[in-house]
Amino acid sequence: MEKIERNAPCWCGSGKKYKVCHAAFDDKLKKYEKEPYPIPTRDIIKNEAQIEGIRASSRINIAVLDYVAEHIRMGMSTAEIDDMVYQKTTELGGIPAPLGYEGFPRSCCVSINSVVCHGIPDDKTFLEDGDIVNVDVSTIYNGYFSDSSRMFLIGNVSEEARRLVDITEQSLQVGLQEVKPWKRLGDMGAAVHDFIRQNGYSVVREIGGHGIGLEFHEEPWVSYVSEKGTEMLLVPGMVFTIEPMVNMGKPDIFIDEEDDWTVCTEDGSLSAQWEITVLVTETGYEILTY
Ligand code: CO
């Protein structure tokens, strides 16, 4: 930790003097340096202006998903969903973060049934009666990033598929109960994992969530199969996603070799995902996107 003179400007960029900004915070953080799990670096701790920027980006992300929710229909192609996301995002002054991200060709991910995540929208895949569909939207606005995804039920969805979607959504609330400053990120992932297993499902291990805000994907990487008391220390000003991928069958996955993106369940079982972006506050958490 680099030492700062008490009257110098704080490292967080708030413009305030260090002594009235993050000095006490740094003293407290120092005590955790000896623990075997990581503490956050300064570059992932957001100041109030940055948080306001991420909130504004998040409002667009939410509005885009609300728009998708209103218009998504059986018989629609996944490319039509993508068009809605692109149109609405740009109309609101944002840029779809996935577009061109590491070569991703579209503005959002659409993942149907046994597709776990990163489904690429196309004009040959249509929403069918009984499908469960994840639409994952991410926005850049004024340089700030936000990210969230929701599940949509198309037509008559089976009771068992509905339950999968429902339990997955509930797992976010279970995880959120563990999001508190000066606790460990692993507590959150452990709570999600326990809840999902108690309900008879499995959680994907290889793909997780991420810090977000100034970049699309920042530290820390976020697991939903972690152990209590492990992983990065949570502190006020951290922003990350909670986005567990929950399989009805086994947790194993594979990536489609044809496009190098689409992630599917190995056993062909259904998979669901909900994603929110959360801020760690002085007292707990604030949900930025849903
Ligand atoms: Co994400």
Side-chain angles (χ1 to χ4, degrees), residues 55-284:
R55 283 197 190 103
S57 177
S58 300
R59 284 193 285 273
I60 295 177
N61 214 68
I62 291 168
V64 172
L65 272 168
D66 285 346
Y67 186 79
V68 169
E70 262 173 54
H71 294 90
I72 194 166
R73 293 282 178 277
M74 198 189 306
M76 192 176 253
S77 74
T78 54
E80 284 176 82
I81 297 172
D82 188 68
D83 287 342
M84 289 197 284
V85 169
Y86 180 82
Q87 290 303 332
K88 199 70 195 170
T89 304
T90 51
E91 180 193 314
L92 296 172
I95 301 165
L99 191 57
Y101 176 79
E102 291 190 7
F104 193 80
R106 295 283 190 159
S107 295
C108 67
C109 301
V110 179
S111 305
I112 305 176
N113 297 334
S114 64
V115 176
V116 171
C117 65
H118 301 171
I120 305 175
D122 68 67
D123 52 19
K124 291 174 196 67
T125 306
F126 299 90
L127 303 185
E128 292 175 13
D129 192 22
D131 283 348
I132 60 168
V133 183
N134 175 275
V135 180
D136 192 338
V137 172
S138 318
T139 301
I140 314 170
Y141 178 68
N142 198 17
Y144 294 104
F145 290 76
S146 57
D147 192 2
S148 55
S149 78
R150 301 183 196 165
M151 295 298 294
F152 298 101
L153 306 173
I154 308 301
N156 287 304
V157 172
S158 72
E159 195 53 46
E160 31 158 49
R162 277 176 192 272
R163 181 173 177 272
L164 174 71
V165 170
D166 198 44
I167 293 292
T168 304
E169 186 175 13
Q170 284 179 41
S171 77
L172 301 182
Q173 294 303 323
V174 174
L176 277 171
Q177 297 316 306
E178 304 301 321
V179 178
K180 292 183 190 121
W182 314 105
K183 284 190 58 170
R184 291 279 168 184
L185 182 59
D187 298 6
M188 183 281 296
V192 169
H193 197 199
D194 288 347
F195 177 75
I196 293 299
R197 280 183 297 189
Q198 281 158 19
N199 281 284
Y201 304 133
S202 66
V203 178
V204 171
R205 298 160 297 196
E206 298 88 340
I207 311 171
H210 48 95
I212 184 169
L214 311 183
E215 305 283 346
F216 194 175
H217 297 110
E218 299 176 2
E219 290 294 317
W221 185 74
V222 183
S223 169
Y224 309 100
V225 295
S226 47
E227 303 288 333
K228 242 175 125 63
T230 71
E231 305 292 343
M232 192 177 278
L233 186 74
L234 298 177
V235 302
M238 278 173 75
V239 178
F240 63 91
T241 67
I242 303 182
E243 51 173 319
M245 283 144 259
V246 177
N247 297 349
M248 197 174 265
K250 297 213 166 72
D252 310 85
I253 55 166
F254 70 93
I255 299 174
D256 187 336
E257 284 178 12
E258 303 247 305
D259 63 21
D260 252 353
W261 276 104
T262 313
V263 179
C264 306
T265 57
E266 183 72 50
D267 62 8
S269 69
L270 292 177
S271 187
Q273 179 183 28
W274 289 81
E275 174 178 19
I276 55 177
T277 301
V278 297
L279 164 72
V280 182
T281 65
E282 295 290 340
T283 51

